Amino acid sequence: MKLYGHPISGNAHRAEALLGILGQDFENIVVNLPAGEHKHPEFLAMNPLGQVPVLVDGDVVLRDSSAILIYLARKYDATNQWLPTDALAQAKVQEWLSVAVNEIARGPFTVRAIKVIGMKADLAEAQSRTDALFSQLFEPHLAAQDWLVGDQPTIADLACYGYIARVTDGDYSLDAYPAINAWLARVEAIDGFTPLGKAADVFAALKSA
Ligand SMILES: N[C@@H](CCC(=O)N[C@@H](CS)C(=O)NCC(=O)O)C(=O)O
């Protein structure tokens, strides 16, 4: 398999994390986002939206981190742990995948992106969305249970992890959220899981490469 991504991208990290956990061999291809490589015709032929991640598995070409997580879990996890087959559990996983691409994107993703890639957006609004998301949803949920769905990790945890873990890149402190911190540590302890790098480390590594 080939995964087209970028080490700063939490969206690409979701796919990379599951590939690692499932022990799949894959080529991790860094798309040069600052140089606009994701808008070149060869990349647009794979994803007309011009976004990473894209997964190529033989003849299969998939864009979108949620779609890639679902594909990898269903195809390569014979245990069905990462995407349960039970109707309610699967729907519960979907609830969090939707949070990852909506509330997390408009909250912690944006807080981080303003600082790290100079995204033009309202910082106070993104911070306040993040406060609400953490204090009303994640902290109480994770104070009551170890994983987002059921009693073991699923793709819901992988989808939500990256932009929450690295909201600190945007100078947003997680100190007020002990249950979120404990959950992040549990996710990072999963066998085969590679954490999303801190932005400063990612940029330093890219510079010295
Ligand atoms: N819904 C997509 C969003 C992907 C996305 O926004 N990727 C960013 C990197 S984190 C990107 O490629 N941005 C470049 C652009 O939109 O021009 C997913 O979940 O994969």
Side-chain angles (χ1 to χ4, degrees), residues 109-130:
F109 165 88
T110 301
V111 168
R112 174 176 182 259
I114 289 170
K115 176 81 189 295
V116 165
I117 56 167
M119 179 181 175
K120 301 277 176 263
D122 185 328
L123 179 60
E125 186 181 309
Q127 285 168 333
S128 132
R129 287 182 191 279
T130 303

PDB file of all heavy atoms in Angstrom, residues 109-130:
ATOM      1  N   PHE A 109      -8.233  21.614  15.747  1.00  0.00           N
ATOM      2  CA  PHE A 109      -7.474  21.675  14.479  1.00  0.00           C
ATOM      3  C   PHE A 109      -7.167  23.120  14.124  1.00  0.00           C
ATOM      4  O   PHE A 109      -6.039  23.471  13.763  1.00  0.00           O
ATOM      5  CB  PHE A 109      -8.277  21.017  13.340  1.00  0.00           C
ATOM      6  CG  PHE A 109      -7.733  21.359  11.968  1.00  0.00           C
ATOM      7  CD1 PHE A 109      -6.737  20.596  11.390  1.00  0.00           C
ATOM      8  CD2 PHE A 109      -8.214  22.467  11.269  1.00  0.00           C
ATOM      9  CE1 PHE A 109      -6.214  20.928  10.142  1.00  0.00           C
ATOM     10  CE2 PHE A 109      -7.706  22.810  10.026  1.00  0.00           C
ATOM     11  CZ  PHE A 109      -6.706  22.043   9.457  1.00  0.00           C
ATOM     12  N   THR A 110      -8.187  23.970  14.229  1.00  0.00           N
ATOM     13  CA  THR A 110      -8.029  25.368  13.809  1.00  0.00           C
ATOM     14  C   THR A 110      -7.089  26.121  14.748  1.00  0.00           C
ATOM     15  O   THR A 110      -6.241  26.900  14.296  1.00  0.00           O
ATOM     16  CB  THR A 110      -9.413  26.049  13.728  1.00  0.00           C
ATOM     17  OG1 THR A 110     -10.204  25.324  12.782  1.00  0.00           O
ATOM     18  CG2 THR A 110      -9.306  27.495  13.277  1.00  0.00           C
ATOM     19  N   VAL A 111      -7.209  25.879  16.064  1.00  0.00           N
ATOM     20  CA  VAL A 111      -6.298  26.511  17.036  1.00  0.00           C
ATOM     21  C   VAL A 111      -4.846  26.207  16.638  1.00  0.00           C
ATOM     22  O   VAL A 111      -3.975  27.083  16.618  1.00  0.00           O
ATOM     23  CB  VAL A 111      -6.581  25.987  18.469  1.00  0.00           C
ATOM     24  CG1 VAL A 111      -5.485  26.396  19.435  1.00  0.00           C
ATOM     25  CG2 VAL A 111      -7.940  26.486  18.952  1.00  0.00           C
ATOM     26  N   ARG A 112      -4.591  24.937  16.323  1.00  0.00           N
ATOM     27  CA  ARG A 112      -3.222  24.530  15.972  1.00  0.00           C
ATOM     28  C   ARG A 112      -2.804  25.096  14.611  1.00  0.00           C
ATOM     29  O   ARG A 112      -1.684  25.603  14.445  1.00  0.00           O
ATOM     30  CB  ARG A 112      -3.162  22.999  15.944  1.00  0.00           C
ATOM     31  CG  ARG A 112      -1.845  22.407  15.468  1.00  0.00           C
ATOM     32  CD  ARG A 112      -1.923  20.896  15.591  1.00  0.00           C
ATOM     33  NE  ARG A 112      -0.719  20.195  15.214  1.00  0.00           N
ATOM     34  CZ  ARG A 112      -0.551  19.584  14.036  1.00  0.00           C
ATOM     35  NH1 ARG A 112      -1.505  19.611  13.123  1.00  0.00           N
ATOM     36  NH2 ARG A 112       0.578  18.937  13.794  1.00  0.00           N
ATOM     37  N   ALA A 113      -3.707  25.028  13.642  1.00  0.00           N
ATOM     38  CA  ALA A 113      -3.348  25.433  12.276  1.00  0.00           C
ATOM     39  C   ALA A 113      -3.055  26.929  12.180  1.00  0.00           C
ATOM     40  O   ALA A 113      -2.214  27.360  11.384  1.00  0.00           O
ATOM     41  CB  ALA A 113      -4.471  25.035  11.303  1.00  0.00           C
ATOM     42  N   ILE A 114      -3.732  27.729  12.997  1.00  0.00           N
ATOM     43  CA  ILE A 114      -3.467  29.177  12.983  1.00  0.00           C
ATOM     44  C   ILE A 114      -2.000  29.421  13.351  1.00  0.00           C
ATOM     45  O   ILE A 114      -1.285  30.175  12.693  1.00  0.00           O
ATOM     46  CB  ILE A 114      -4.415  29.913  13.964  1.00  0.00           C
ATOM     47  CG1 ILE A 114      -5.840  29.908  13.406  1.00  0.00           C
ATOM     48  CG2 ILE A 114      -3.943  31.355  14.212  1.00  0.00           C
ATOM     49  CD1 ILE A 114      -6.910  30.389  14.393  1.00  0.00           C
ATOM     50  N   LYS A 115      -1.534  28.700  14.383  1.00  0.00           N
ATOM     51  CA  LYS A 115      -0.161  28.896  14.862  1.00  0.00           C
ATOM     52  C   LYS A 115       0.866  28.215  13.951  1.00  0.00           C
ATOM     53  O   LYS A 115       1.909  28.780  13.618  1.00  0.00           O
ATOM     54  CB  LYS A 115      -0.062  28.328  16.286  1.00  0.00           C
ATOM     55  CG  LYS A 115       1.301  28.342  16.922  1.00  0.00           C
ATOM     56  CD  LYS A 115       1.627  29.711  17.494  1.00  0.00           C
ATOM     57  CE  LYS A 115       3.070  29.857  17.957  1.00  0.00           C
ATOM     58  NZ  LYS A 115       3.422  29.006  19.067  1.00  0.00           N
ATOM     59  N   VAL A 116       0.541  27.015  13.518  1.00  0.00           N
ATOM     60  CA  VAL A 116       1.551  26.171  12.883  1.00  0.00           C
ATOM     61  C   VAL A 116       1.683  26.402  11.377  1.00  0.00           C
ATOM     62  O   VAL A 116       2.782  26.347  10.829  1.00  0.00           O
ATOM     63  CB  VAL A 116       1.193  24.692  13.197  1.00  0.00           C
ATOM     64  CG1 VAL A 116       1.929  23.727  12.334  1.00  0.00           C
ATOM     65  CG2 VAL A 116       1.453  24.401  14.654  1.00  0.00           C
ATOM     66  N   ILE A 117       0.557  26.648  10.708  1.00  0.00           N
ATOM     67  CA  ILE A 117       0.654  26.851   9.254  1.00  0.00           C
ATOM     68  C   ILE A 117       0.083  28.200   8.830  1.00  0.00           C
ATOM     69  O   ILE A 117      -0.132  28.437   7.640  1.00  0.00           O
ATOM     70  CB  ILE A 117      -0.014  25.700   8.445  1.00  0.00           C
ATOM     71  CG1 ILE A 117      -1.489  25.507   8.846  1.00  0.00           C
ATOM     72  CG2 ILE A 117       0.763  24.403   8.586  1.00  0.00           C
ATOM     73  CD1 ILE A 117      -2.274  24.632   7.882  1.00  0.00           C
ATOM     74  N   GLY A 118      -0.173  29.068   9.816  1.00  0.00           N
ATOM     75  CA  GLY A 118      -0.638  30.419   9.472  1.00  0.00           C
ATOM     76  C   GLY A 118      -2.024  30.457   8.853  1.00  0.00           C
ATOM     77  O   GLY A 118      -2.346  31.367   8.082  1.00  0.00           O
ATOM     78  N   MET A 119      -2.869  29.483   9.221  1.00  0.00           N
ATOM     79  CA  MET A 119      -4.245  29.467   8.697  1.00  0.00           C
ATOM     80  C   MET A 119      -4.960  30.762   9.105  1.00  0.00           C
ATOM     81  O   MET A 119      -4.809  31.230  10.232  1.00  0.00           O
ATOM     82  CB  MET A 119      -4.985  28.266   9.299  1.00  0.00           C
ATOM     83  CG  MET A 119      -6.419  28.124   8.880  1.00  0.00           C
ATOM     84  SD  MET A 119      -7.115  26.654   9.718  1.00  0.00           S
ATOM     85  CE  MET A 119      -8.812  26.759   9.201  1.00  0.00           C
ATOM     86  N   LYS A 120      -5.709  31.324   8.178  1.00  0.00           N
ATOM     87  CA  LYS A 120      -6.471  32.547   8.484  1.00  0.00           C
ATOM     88  C   LYS A 120      -7.826  32.146   9.071  1.00  0.00           C
ATOM     89  O   LYS A 120      -8.667  31.582   8.369  1.00  0.00           O
ATOM     90  CB  LYS A 120      -6.696  33.375   7.208  1.00  0.00           C
ATOM     91  CG  LYS A 120      -5.409  33.801   6.526  1.00  0.00           C
ATOM     92  CD  LYS A 120      -4.828  35.063   7.168  1.00  0.00           C
ATOM     93  CE  LYS A 120      -3.498  35.448   6.561  1.00  0.00           C
ATOM     94  NZ  LYS A 120      -2.307  34.983   7.318  1.00  0.00           N
ATOM     95  N   ALA A 121      -7.976  32.382  10.356  1.00  0.00           N
ATOM     96  CA  ALA A 121      -9.239  32.047  11.038  1.00  0.00           C
ATOM     97  C   ALA A 121      -9.279  32.809  12.350  1.00  0.00           C
ATOM     98  O   ALA A 121      -8.275  33.393  12.773  1.00  0.00           O
ATOM     99  CB  ALA A 121      -9.319  30.539  11.285  1.00  0.00           C
ATOM    100  N   ASP A 122     -10.436  32.810  12.977  1.00  0.00           N
ATOM    101  CA  ASP A 122     -10.632  33.558  14.229  1.00  0.00           C
ATOM    102  C   ASP A 122     -10.156  32.693  15.404  1.00  0.00           C
ATOM    103  O   ASP A 122     -10.814  31.703  15.761  1.00  0.00           O
ATOM    104  CB  ASP A 122     -12.132  33.878  14.351  1.00  0.00           C
ATOM    105  CG  ASP A 122     -12.428  34.766  15.550  1.00  0.00           C
ATOM    106  OD1 ASP A 122     -11.715  34.653  16.567  1.00  0.00           O
ATOM    107  OD2 ASP A 122     -13.391  35.551  15.460  1.00  0.00           O
ATOM    108  N   LEU A 123      -9.032  33.083  16.017  1.00  0.00           N
ATOM    109  CA  LEU A 123      -8.437  32.266  17.081  1.00  0.00           C
ATOM    110  C   LEU A 123      -9.346  32.183  18.307  1.00  0.00           C
ATOM    111  O   LEU A 123      -9.543  31.102  18.867  1.00  0.00           O
ATOM    112  CB  LEU A 123      -7.060  32.844  17.471  1.00  0.00           C
ATOM    113  CG  LEU A 123      -6.335  32.095  18.587  1.00  0.00           C
ATOM    114  CD1 LEU A 123      -6.073  30.634  18.218  1.00  0.00           C
ATOM    115  CD2 LEU A 123      -5.021  32.789  18.944  1.00  0.00           C
ATOM    116  N   ALA A 124      -9.914  33.323  18.712  1.00  0.00           N
ATOM    117  CA  ALA A 124     -10.757  33.312  19.924  1.00  0.00           C
ATOM    118  C   ALA A 124     -11.951  32.377  19.734  1.00  0.00           C
ATOM    119  O   ALA A 124     -12.344  31.637  20.653  1.00  0.00           O
ATOM    120  CB  ALA A 124     -11.225  34.730  20.242  1.00  0.00           C
ATOM    121  N   GLU A 125     -12.518  32.402  18.539  1.00  0.00           N
ATOM    122  CA  GLU A 125     -13.672  31.530  18.272  1.00  0.00           C
ATOM    123  C   GLU A 125     -13.248  30.052  18.306  1.00  0.00           C
ATOM    124  O   GLU A 125     -13.941  29.213  18.895  1.00  0.00           O
ATOM    125  CB  GLU A 125     -14.262  31.889  16.906  1.00  0.00           C
ATOM    126  CG  GLU A 125     -15.541  31.154  16.602  1.00  0.00           C
ATOM    127  CD  GLU A 125     -16.089  31.529  15.220  1.00  0.00           C
ATOM    128  OE1 GLU A 125     -16.220  32.724  14.932  1.00  0.00           O
ATOM    129  OE2 GLU A 125     -16.356  30.596  14.457  1.00  0.00           O
ATOM    130  N   ALA A 126     -12.109  29.752  17.689  1.00  0.00           N
ATOM    131  CA  ALA A 126     -11.636  28.357  17.678  1.00  0.00           C
ATOM    132  C   ALA A 126     -11.295  27.899  19.092  1.00  0.00           C
ATOM    133  O   ALA A 126     -11.561  26.744  19.470  1.00  0.00           O
ATOM    134  CB  ALA A 126     -10.422  28.225  16.761  1.00  0.00           C
ATOM    135  N   GLN A 127     -10.729  28.788  19.906  1.00  0.00           N
ATOM    136  CA  GLN A 127     -10.416  28.422  21.297  1.00  0.00           C
ATOM    137  C   GLN A 127     -11.698  28.161  22.076  1.00  0.00           C
ATOM    138  O   GLN A 127     -11.789  27.217  22.863  1.00  0.00           O
ATOM    139  CB  GLN A 127      -9.617  29.546  21.973  1.00  0.00           C
ATOM    140  CG  GLN A 127      -8.172  29.593  21.506  1.00  0.00           C
ATOM    141  CD  GLN A 127      -7.465  30.864  21.947  1.00  0.00           C
ATOM    142  OE1 GLN A 127      -8.102  31.914  22.148  1.00  0.00           O
ATOM    143  NE2 GLN A 127      -6.149  30.796  22.063  1.00  0.00           N
ATOM    144  N   SER A 128     -12.681  29.008  21.853  1.00  0.00           N
ATOM    145  CA  SER A 128     -13.919  28.822  22.605  1.00  0.00           C
ATOM    146  C   SER A 128     -14.665  27.556  22.153  1.00  0.00           C
ATOM    147  O   SER A 128     -15.259  26.834  22.981  1.00  0.00           O
ATOM    148  CB  SER A 128     -14.720  30.121  22.502  1.00  0.00           C
ATOM    149  OG  SER A 128     -16.010  29.901  22.173  1.00  0.00           O
ATOM    150  N   ARG A 129     -14.611  27.228  20.875  1.00  0.00           N
ATOM    151  CA  ARG A 129     -15.184  25.950  20.410  1.00  0.00           C
ATOM    152  C   ARG A 129     -14.448  24.775  21.057  1.00  0.00           C
ATOM    153  O   ARG A 129     -15.053  23.748  21.403  1.00  0.00           O
ATOM    154  CB  ARG A 129     -15.044  25.825  18.893  1.00  0.00           C
ATOM    155  CG  ARG A 129     -15.975  26.719  18.103  1.00  0.00           C
ATOM    156  CD  ARG A 129     -15.749  26.452  16.608  1.00  0.00           C
ATOM    157  NE  ARG A 129     -16.393  27.434  15.762  1.00  0.00           N
ATOM    158  CZ  ARG A 129     -17.679  27.422  15.440  1.00  0.00           C
ATOM    159  NH1 ARG A 129     -18.451  26.472  15.903  1.00  0.00           N
ATOM    160  NH2 ARG A 129     -18.184  28.351  14.668  1.00  0.00           N
ATOM    161  N   THR A 130     -13.128  24.916  21.189  1.00  0.00           N
ATOM    162  CA  THR A 130     -12.315  23.849  21.791  1.00  0.00           C
ATOM    163  C   THR A 130     -12.668  23.692  23.265  1.00  0.00           C
ATOM    164  O   THR A 130     -12.847  22.562  23.756  1.00  0.00           O
ATOM    165  CB  THR A 130     -10.812  24.169  21.617  1.00  0.00           C
ATOM    166  OG1 THR A 130     -10.553  24.340  20.221  1.00  0.00           O
ATOM    167  CG2 THR A 130      -9.935  23.059  22.166  1.00  0.00           C
TER     168      THR A 130
END
